[in-house]
Amino acid sequence: MTAAVIPQHIAIVMDGNGRWAKRRFLPRLAGHKQGVDALRRCAKACAERGVKVLTVFAFSSENWNRPTDEVDGLMNLLAGALAKEVPSLARDGIRLFFVGDRASLSTKVQAGLAQAEAATAHNDRMVLNVCFNYGGRWDIAQAAAKLVAAGQPITEVALNGAMALAHVPDPDLLIRTGGEMRISNFLLWQSAYSELYFSDKWWPDFDEQALDAAIAEFQQRERRFGKTSEQLAPSAA
Ligand code: IPE
Ligand code: IPE
Ligand code: MG
């Protein structure tokens, strides 16, 4: 039997913070705070399992449409988490990247993002991409705009190289917690051949055991990339 393959790149739509809080009669922001703890735990667990890239959806292009106090709370949470999390990321050998449209974030948050990236730039055990003010459609459009500005033809290879996640391979496994079965404008381009896994757990409850269940399910899948099963089978010895 071949050794079970650990997905090299896991992407996660961290959904369900609000419902986690509501169930406890807490404000939604309490759920988001708990979500930061869940992310720290999950990133550590992924690094321990040999995952090379973890990409998480923290704030979508559409999340600006939420009530102002929730948006403000999420921005403050991010700004606060940035400085606080760097030491634990360093301990776990995790390099941080922020992926998304930074232009509409406050200068304070923008500076915090750049600082946290610089402070973890030497870590090489695992990459953690935090998608913040990110949308799959924004990503495809900004990649196309970059090519146009450079006078380059829009080909599949060129677009791929201009996407916001060009520094990592495509996700092998895409997990969504919180029970919804949709992509919600996450990695539209990069998830073309990702294995999809939906968990009913709210994000704050997504623990190591839940991660292992997702990885175990991934290991049962046959990734064909358009080929037939027979083509994938190792030739008879
Ligand atoms: C996901 O949790 C986190 C963000 C979108 C920022 P939600 O806030 O969407 O939680 P639910 O879906 O309302 O439970
Ligand atoms: C997706 O969750 C975005 C993030 C987890 C950051 P949403 O809660 O915003 O998605 P919808 O609105 O249910 O599709
Ligand atoms: Mg949600």
Side-chain angles (χ1 to χ4, degrees):
M1 220 176 102
T2 54
V5 177
I6 292 291
Q8 291 296 286
H9 182 175
I10 297 181
I12 307 183
V13 179
M14 307 184 292
D15 195 23
N17 294 348
R19 283 164 285 168
W20 181 93
K22 193 171 175 186
R23 171 63 69 90
R24 288 164 177 76
F25 304 102
L26 293 169
R28 293 178 59 83
L29 208 59
H32 296 314
K33 285 192 183 135
Q34 202 69 29
V36 175
D37 294 345
L39 174 55
R40 188 188 309 109
R41 184 177 61 205
C42 184
K44 184 171 191 281
C46 282
E48 284 167 359
R49 283 153 183 75
V51 172
K52 291 292 165 210
V53 184
L54 174 64
T55 300
V56 297
F57 206 6
F59 190 87
S60 78
S61 314
E62 290 74 28
N63 287 147
W64 291 107
N65 297 321
R66 293 194 176 194
T68 318
D69 61 339
E70 183 168 350
V71 171
D72 290 349
L74 283 164
M75 293 294 153
N76 289 334
L77 193 60
L78 174 72
L82 285 172
K84 224 175 63 196
E85 297 300 328
V86 167
S88 79
L89 291 170
R91 234 183 352 261
D92 295 326
I94 298 172
R95 180 172 185 181
L96 199 57
F97 285 90
F98 285 91
V99 176
D101 183 3
R102 297 183 187 211
S104 38
L105 303 175
S106 74
T107 39
K108 184 183 157 210
V109 169
Q110 285 190 38
L113 299 184
Q115 259 168 28
E117 284 180 336
T120 62
H122 58 282
N123 299 336
D124 59 5
R125 187 160 166 230
M126 187 179 84
V127 162
L128 172 61
N129 296 307
V130 176
C131 296
F132 198 91
N133 197 16
Y134 178 88
R137 290 179 173 180
W138 165 82
D139 196 2
I140 294 167
Q142 69 77 29
K146 243 194 261 175
L147 296 181
V148 169
Q152 286 177 34
I154 298 187
T155 63
E156 203 173 305
V157 172
L159 266 179
N160 207 35
M163 301 291 294
L165 279 183
H167 58 289
V168 293
D170 286 344
D172 301 296
L173 171 62
L174 192 157
I175 298 171
R176 180 172 184 143
T177 64
E180 314 296 349
M181 295 204 211
R182 54 179 173 257
I183 299 290
S184 299
N185 198 17
F186 193 28
L187 304 170
L188 299 181
W189 174 273
Q190 299 86 346
S191 63
Y193 269 104
S194 304
E195 294 298 326
L196 306 181
Y197 179 86
F198 297 97
S199 165
D200 284 333
K201 281 192 187 299
W202 293 318
W203 173 246
D205 292 330
F206 193 82
D207 54 10
E208 286 90 346
Q209 223 184 334
L211 175 69
D212 286 334
I215 294 175
E217 161 81 28
F218 170 83
Q219 290 168 340
Q220 299 303 313
R221 305 274 180 91
E222 183 180 65
R223 304 187 75 193
R224 289 192 287 278
F225 298 98
K227 295 182 177 177
T228 67
S229 239
E230 291 69 24
Q231 284 176 295
L232 299 173
S235 54

